[in-house]
Amino acid sequence: LETILGRNEDGSPMNNPPLLKSLAFDPILGNVKLIAEAWDAGGLYQVGSFPSWNRWSEWNGRYRDDMRDFLKGDYGNSGLAAKRITGSKDLYDPQYRGDNASVNFITCHDGFTLWDLYSYNWKHNEANGWNNTDGSNDNRSWNCGIEGETDNEEVLSLRYRLVKNAAAVLFMEKSVGRNATLILGLTPDPDGLIPEGDVKRLHEFSAAVEKRFSTPLARASGKSRTLTMKFKKPEDVNYFMIQENIRGGERILRYRVEAKVNGRWVNVGAGESVGHKRIQPFERVKASALRLIVDEARDLPDIINFSAFNVL
């Protein structure tokens, strides 16, 4: 609900909100993603117009609504669905907002789960004691013929198919459109939820990665198509990490990394994109330096971290 941070003392929206601008350019926050839920409880809806300074991304509420309509088969929505899948350029001009302004999602932390989306035509918050007045009535859902839980195999089969369709659309976003997606690539359980065991494994994996790559052998940074890091002495090395400054969107399209082994540069890895972070393994070599070469980019690469590791 970040739009509340852009309101004046009288509640009116400001053209250049100082707090949002300060957050956008804060050096401590420079390496984290800033994502706005671009609406608030007062009715200010700024999807596509949130003050971003080419730094803030937005939950794309228009994507959620248009794709929910399309996925449940509403007539005449294919054109809007195509716009949303290919990056919502009608909302986020890539020239001014970069490649990752739109964070696409179909369900989130509040409202209907993905299973609810195809199980109910109406919300059912009766147990909250507010006579079902809390929560949104605009859920764009479809119960597949029966309201709520059922043992009807035909209805259940259709619901499972629709849940899979929605997940498949989000999975394909990065390869088709200029989007970021609010998805972790996990298979939901029959209720459309992430299993607790998978959540636990994710936390464990994140902690292990942070620990493993906490101490680089050397690092370099800069705005350049070529970066070289030199070691104080020849070192065993088998991983490199690259991080872009993605405030202006992803710039690197194609790159390669070379290691200086016995005085000669040898290729140890290559790739086609970097984004926020790329960690890449290669066969262990004893090298005196590592060199990053960007062969193709949208603009001058802004690399905030090129580092080397020896991971056992």
Side-chain angles (χ1 to χ4, degrees):
L1 306 177
E2 275 71 22
T3 56
I4 191 67
L5 302 180
R7 289 183 181 270
N8 214 328
E9 290 92 338
D10 61 2
S12 61
M14 292 181 281
N15 292 327
N16 195 25
L19 178 55
L20 292 173
K21 185 175 182 180
S22 296
L23 292 171
F25 294 106
D26 189 292
I28 297 175
L29 301 177
N31 294 333
V32 303
K33 298 176 181 179
L34 296 179
I35 302 174
E37 198 170 350
W39 52 85
D40 63 28
L44 182 58
Y45 189 81
Q46 292 185 309
V47 170
S49 61
F50 186 80
S52 70
W53 293 276
N54 213 10
R55 179 74 172 90
W56 286 88
S57 299
E58 301 173 22
W59 280 28
N60 190 345
R62 291 277 298 279
Y63 176 95
R64 174 199 59 206
D65 295 344
D66 292 341
M67 292 307 298
R68 283 188 179 191
D69 288 341
F70 173 73
L71 288 166
K72 68 185 177 74
D74 283 5
Y75 179 77
N77 285 285
S78 58
L80 281 174
K83 284 184 178 180
R84 302 296 160 244
I85 290 172
T86 55
S88 295
K89 296 183 182 69
D90 57 326
L91 302 176
Y92 307 102
D93 187 334
Q95 181 178 352
Y96 302 104
R97 296 297 302 272
D99 294 346
N100 294 299
S102 174
V103 177
N104 295 341
F105 68 105
I106 294 175
T107 60
C108 58
H109 63 279
D110 56 5
F112 280 17
T113 67
L114 193 55
W115 186 252
D116 291 339
L117 197 60
Y118 301 113
S119 299
Y120 300 97
N121 282 348
W122 316 101
K123 63 182 172 67
H124 293 274
N125 293 336
E126 292 87 356
N128 289 351
W130 286 27
N131 296 317
N132 203 32
T133 58
D134 57 325
S136 174
N137 291 313
D138 183 23
N139 290 296
R140 306 180 186 226
S141 57
W142 178 41
N143 64 17
C144 299
I146 297 176
E147 186 76 359
E149 297 304 313
T150 180
D151 295 327
N152 186 295
E153 292 186 3
E154 186 175 348
V155 170
L156 288 174
S157 176
L158 178 57
R159 288 177 179 176
Y160 284 129
R161 187 168 5 133
L162 290 172
V163 166
K164 291 177 182 178
N165 287 347
V169 168
L170 282 173
F171 276 124
M172 69 180 284
E173 291 290 349
K174 288 297 287 184
S175 62
V176 175
R178 301 157 67 90
N179 307 286
T181 53
L182 192 65
I183 193 168
L184 299 175
L186 301 174
T187 302
D189 64 19
D191 295 323
L193 303 175
I194 297 174
E196 290 185 8
D198 287 344
V199 174
K200 183 179 179 181
R201 296 288 90 77
L202 279 175
H203 285 297
E204 292 174 350
F205 176 75
S206 176
V209 170
E210 290 294 331
K211 181 178 180 180
R212 177 172 287 190
F213 295 98
S214 60
T215 308
L217 298 170
R219 62 183 298 170
S221 61
K223 293 182 178 182
S224 176
R225 288 180 176 266
T226 304
L227 279 182
T228 302
M229 71 175 93
K230 297 180 180 180
F231 308 136
K232 293 181 179 179
K233 60 181 180 63
E235 298 276 5
D236 288 333
V237 57
N238 64 344
Y239 276 86
F240 61 80
M241 178 190 296
I242 310 172
Q243 289 181 271
E244 283 191 84
N245 181 358
I246 59 170
R247 294 180 180 180
E250 297 183 34
R251 299 186 178 188
I252 296 175
L253 297 175
R254 189 162 50 87
Y255 69 88
R256 53 194 162 96
V257 172
E258 298 176 337
K260 197 169 189 179
V261 180
N262 296 324
R264 296 177 58 251
W265 288 105
V266 297
N267 183 66
V268 294
E272 295 185 348
S273 66
V274 173
H276 172 62
K277 182 186 295 184
R278 170 67 69 92
I279 300 174
Q280 195 162 326
F282 55 91
E283 186 175 349
R284 182 177 281 107
V285 296
K286 186 173 285 291
S288 58
L290 240 60
R291 179 169 66 185
L292 169 65
I293 302 169
V294 178
D295 293 312
E296 186 178 357
R298 294 189 179 95
D299 201 349
L300 183 65
D302 186 0
I303 301 161
I304 60 175
N305 180 18
F306 173 45
S307 49
F309 302 85
N310 181 31
V311 179
L312 301 177

